[in-house]
Amino acid sequence: MASAPSKLYADDVSLLVVLLDTNPFFWSASSLPFSKFISHVISFLNSILLLNQLNQIVVIATGHNCCDYVYDSSSLANRSSGTGKLPAPSADLLEKLEEFVIRDEKLLKREPEGPIVSSLLSGSLSMALCYIQRVFRSGPLHPHPRILCLHGSQDGPEQYVAIMNAIFSAQRSMVPIDSCFIGAQNSAFLQQASYITGGVYLKPQLLDGTFQYLSTVFATDLHSRGFLQLPKSVGVDFRASCFCHKKTIDMGYICSVCLSIFCKHHKKCSTCGSVFGQPQSDAASEPSKKRKTGDA
Amino acid sequence: MNNGEGRRLSGQAEEEDDEDDVDDGGLEAWERAYADERSWESLQEDESGLLRPIDNKALYHAQYRRRLRSLASSNAAARIQKGLIRYLYVVIDLSRAASETDFRPSRMAVVAKHVEAFIREFFDQNPLSQIGLVTIKDGVANCLTDLGGSPESHIKALMGKLECSGDSSLQNALDLVCGYLEQIPSYGHREVLVLNSALSTCDPGDIMETIQNCKKSKVRCSVIGLSAEIFICKHICQETGGLYSVAIDESHFKELILEHAPPPPAIAEFAVANLIKMGFPQRAAENVISICLCHKEARGGGYTCPRCKARVCELPTECRICGLTLVSSPHLARSYHHLFPIAPFDEVTPLRFSSSQHRLPKSCFGCRQSLLNPDVMFCMYAASYQEIGPAYLLNAQNANSISALTVIFMFTKVCITAPVARVSDISRLSAPVKNSYGCNLNFWSSQSQRAVFSYV
């Protein structure tokens, strides 16, 4: 449940997994051009690598249809053995990023319906957690891992359960999820992620100064965070949406069997088919989507 | 009687010579660990000369995989309904037998330690449920804490009252618990977990009547014994549909008690399905100060009840002013993985990959671990993913036995949970799903459930 025994190199070595949002639908409408944003990010990554020789960085690109690793500072290609050169993210990262975006575009089957076009945050969170778990199992000496989401697209409601599962996994392994949200409105998913895992959620007001926000808030390792005054949360939206109309409600009715949320009183639960107010044996004749114990 | 005493007296000299010769010349189990098995010899040193703990991982994972497989075969892709809103009483036996030292330092201390871990794990897995504690001492059952949802108050109360004396009485405990469980709402599942150290029970009446009473009130009793198997405990568990197990040693006891943390399969007639009115408060910012109900002092950053606007400090709780149950959506989301479990993975040895139908990728999809490494012997193959695309090979690093480590158990659940569990429903998806390349995880496909989990 908890992370592997922490006999670390030192307290301030960190492994930073960056989830970079490359959703073309978001970036085409954003006020900050993607190229400028990438230059901020690359400078930030370089500064992290300069802070400590043992720091590691992994970048995962979050696309609209798929996610993939685009940079790993600890891979053999990046560390020229013996010469002591620092890994340099820029050229390699940009090349892989471009390949990734082309791949992502090829996978687009048809125009997305609806105004909300989200990127695959659940997928990249899962991959990040897989990588971190591998690091935990690599032995007693490993850096402190954390996840940083550079995200701007809106939340896709269909990813809710996968993202919540990822958040609970991160919470159990004590991996904080930080987020720097560059979109227009606050993202409820990322706010919850940062709140539950103990990370920092930031929505910069001036996007031209993104590098400054990144380096002052997100560059420090986990041990040193205790000595800093980091931005406090501005309130987290924990409200749920009802299943019948999908509107956000703050008071609702919960089915005691499957925990589905409804905004008004119903006679029957649409998810599990249980009839309310009657003993279950009456509902057994319903075409049941659930199976009770004792059924073959 | 005299003869017996005489025999005992003459035998005493021999007994004093043999150390710890209790049962017919053999040693007790905990003694065997020192005498026969020489546990100190299995310690290892690592590179820097520090002691490495004994590597039991392989053993535990073998057991874990066996358990998963047996569960999977019984479930067989069926979604068994689970009792998610549980009202559980933990009955702790503080009779004379609890001061026995066969569990180090004493049975009572071991039980208390593991009950604390159990309470935390219970609330982690069942955020909407409540626990109460009952102790049996001097033949009388006392309620230590009422049903409540805050782990700290239970643990504090338990640690403060650890003295044992007298006899144990199962009937009194069951009567007390049934009385309390009558008062809970009908949608809740009623459960009792008895941690029994004693070998006897001292009852004022007919315990069979009490058992029938429990059965009628739909209370599910489980017992974990610390000494030996007792018929009456087995009978109680069989009648009420609970689980009976006897712990062999401390780690086994921990395993047994933690087995009760995830929700058990629900016996459908036991709980009436009902719509429960709940509120979803918003969390206020840190600088918005208001007086909270629980501590009655001015604080920032709590939750505001949507009905009466009172402030509470933590969730889930019941608003003291208007009585509304307050939860947050992550609490509900925590229970979803009980409702929709994923199928276990198939373990595949690399030898199988030499066949032409499987192309062996060079590195693991999830964590980029190289798969050409000779140390890596086992990989896992998401078997039910065949419809979609190539196998997603997830690496099991340094597995050295048949029980390959479930490397990314929780994480893989995330990766694969939606597609694997809903393979059959793929055709109803509108989002681009049939993607042979990427980790397309953004669906939760069943029609009704897509509406369910929307979150704006």
Side-chain angles (χ1 to χ4, degrees), chain B residues 216-382:
Chain B
K216 241 184 287 159
S217 330
K218 302 179 186 152
V219 175
R220 178 183 183 263
C221 300
S222 306
V223 180
I224 299 181
L226 279 102
S227 46
E229 186 183 27
I230 306 173
F231 170 75
I232 191 65
C233 296
K234 195 156 145 185
H235 185 70
I236 294 176
C237 296
Q238 272 174 351
E239 289 286 302
T240 56
L243 268 178
Y244 181 43
S245 36
V246 176
I248 299 176
D249 56 19
E250 190 176 331
S251 53
H252 188 218
F253 176 66
K254 180 173 170 192
E255 208 182 284
L256 289 174
I257 199 175
L258 287 179
E259 245 176 41
H260 286 91
I267 304 172
E269 293 78 22
F270 275 19
V272 183
N274 240 318
L275 276 181
I276 314 165
K277 192 166 171 79
M278 290 198 186
F280 300 99
Q282 299 232 41
R283 185 176 173 81
E286 298 291 329
N287 50 4
V288 176
I289 313 253
S290 169
I291 300 183
C292 74
L293 284 179
C294 22
H295 307 99
K296 305 204 177 47
E297 53 184 49
R299 285 183 175 207
Y303 302 90
T304 315
C305 170
R307 189 151 70 178
C308 64
K309 309 289 182 254
R311 163 100 31 122
V312 290
C313 284
E314 49 178 44
L315 295 183
T317 185
E318 218 178 77
C319 174
R320 276 189 224 187
I321 308 277
C322 63
L324 182 66
T325 312
L326 300 173
V327 292
S328 66
S329 36
H331 289 129
L332 296 179
R334 253 183 222 280
S335 311
Y336 291 149
H337 80 273
H338 296 305
L339 292 168
F340 309 107
I342 54 163
F345 291 93
D346 280 349
E347 298 161 23
V348 175
T349 67
L351 297 173
R352 262 176 69 174
F353 283 107
S354 50
S355 67
S356 50
Q357 39 169 266
H358 298 292
R359 327 183 295 273
L360 180 69
K362 290 211 193 65
S363 59
C364 167
F365 165 73
C367 67
R368 302 286 281 235
Q369 169 86 8
S370 161
L371 290 173
L372 304 171
N373 192 340
D375 287 341
V376 174
M377 289 180 55
F378 290 95
C379 312
M380 288 186 292
Y381 175 53

Side-chain angles (χ1 to χ4, degrees), chain A residues 65 69 103 110 126 134 157-158 171-172 192 195 237-239 241 243 246 250 252 254 256 277 280 292-293, chain B residues 124 265 268 271 273-274 276 278 280 283 303 329 334 366-367 369 414 430 435 437 442 452-455:
Chain A
N65 299 307
Y69 289 87
R103 240 186 289 140
R110 57 170 174 266
S126 317
R134 165 192 160 190
E158 62 280 354
Q171 186 193 25
R172 282 199 146 195
Q192 289 194 19
Y195 177 73
D237 189 352
F238 277 127
R239 292 177 301 172
S241 28
F243 293 174
K246 290 188 215 153
D250 51 13
I254 313 271
S256 61
Q280 291 279 52
K292 310 186 184 67
T293 52
Chain B
D124 193 44
N274 240 318
I276 314 165
M278 290 198 186
F280 300 99
R283 185 176 173 81
Y303 302 90
S329 36
R334 253 183 222 280
C367 67
Q369 169 86 8
V414 177
S430 68
N435 168 8
Y437 186 86
N442 63 338
V452 163
F453 299 122
S454 66
Y455 189 95

Side-chain angles (χ1 to χ4, degrees), chain A residues 11-291:
Chain A
D11 283 338
D12 54 357
V13 180
S14 50
L15 160 67
L16 180 65
V17 184
V18 180
L19 308 182
L20 195 59
D21 186 6
T22 61
N23 187 1
F25 298 99
F26 164 69
W27 284 111
S28 55
S30 161
S31 52
L32 177 73
F34 189 61
S35 48
K36 284 225 179 94
F37 176 69
I38 283 287
S39 59
H40 286 297
V41 171
I42 290 186
S43 320
F44 170 66
L45 296 181
N46 277 324
S47 62
I48 297 258
L49 290 170
L50 285 171
L51 278 175
N52 190 314
Q53 196 173 14
L54 299 168
N55 276 349
Q56 292 175 29
I57 288 187
V58 176
V59 181
I60 299 177
T62 314
H64 179 63
N65 299 307
C66 64
C67 319
D68 202 6
Y69 289 87
V70 293
Y71 181 73
D72 182 355
S73 75
S74 58
S75 70
L76 293 171
N78 283 322
R79 282 200 182 285
S80 36
S81 51
T83 60
K85 258 168 65 174
L86 281 176
S90 38
D92 202 21
L93 195 156
L94 290 173
E95 199 184 299
K96 289 243 180 76
L97 200 57
E98 201 174 313
E99 284 170 25
F100 172 77
V101 171
I102 295 174
R103 240 186 289 140
D104 192 27
E105 195 193 328
K106 278 206 203 115
L107 293 168
L108 182 63
K109 294 285 162 55
R110 57 170 174 266
E111 285 297 309
E113 306 150 17
I116 298 175
V117 187
S118 53
S119 49
L120 270 187
L121 180 62
S122 55
S124 47
L125 264 179
S126 317
M127 289 176 95
L129 289 169
C130 285
Y131 189 89
I132 289 175
Q133 182 71 342
R134 165 192 160 190
V135 166
F136 280 154
R137 285 169 193 260
S138 63
L141 293 178
H142 61 81
H144 271 302
R146 65 182 195 272
I147 298 180
L148 171 63
C149 294
L150 299 173
H151 207 70
S153 321
Q154 285 186 297
D155 299 331
E158 62 280 354
Q159 299 181 46
Y160 176 62
V161 177
I163 292 185
M164 293 312 288
N165 278 337
I167 294 174
F168 296 137
S169 302
Q171 186 193 25
R172 282 199 146 195
S173 317
M174 297 190 288
V175 172
I177 299 181
D178 302 321
S179 10
C180 181
F181 191 71
I182 38 193
Q185 289 151 340
N186 277 320
S187 155
F189 289 171
L190 287 175
Q191 273 181 334
Q192 289 194 19
S194 303
Y195 177 73
I196 293 174
T197 56
V200 177
Y201 174 84
L202 179 72
K203 186 172 173 313
Q205 288 152 333
L206 293 175
L207 289 178
D208 287 336
T210 304
F211 172 69
Q212 184 172 351
Y213 285 106
L214 290 176
S215 54
T216 48
V217 178
F218 298 111
T220 42
D221 54 280
L222 293 178
H223 178 69
S224 313
R225 277 190 184 187
F227 309 119
L228 295 177
Q229 283 269 40
L230 293 173
K232 292 205 171 62
S233 68
V234 290
V236 185
D237 189 352
F238 277 127
R239 292 177 301 172
S241 28
C242 75
F243 293 174
C244 27
H245 311 107
K246 290 188 215 153
K247 56 178 193 225
T248 321
I249 49 168
D250 51 13
M251 257 199 298
Y253 295 91
I254 313 271
C255 167
S256 61
V257 173
C258 62
L259 302 185
S260 332
I261 308 169
F262 301 104
C263 50
K264 33 185 228 286
H265 218 277
H266 287 230
K267 283 232 171 52
K268 195 165 97 85
C269 174
S270 53
T271 324
C272 65
S274 13
V275 180
F276 296 127
Q278 291 176 25
Q280 291 279 52
S281 42
D282 290 354
S285 51
E286 304 264 350
S288 51
K289 286 186 197 159
K290 65 185 189 306
R291 299 211 8 219

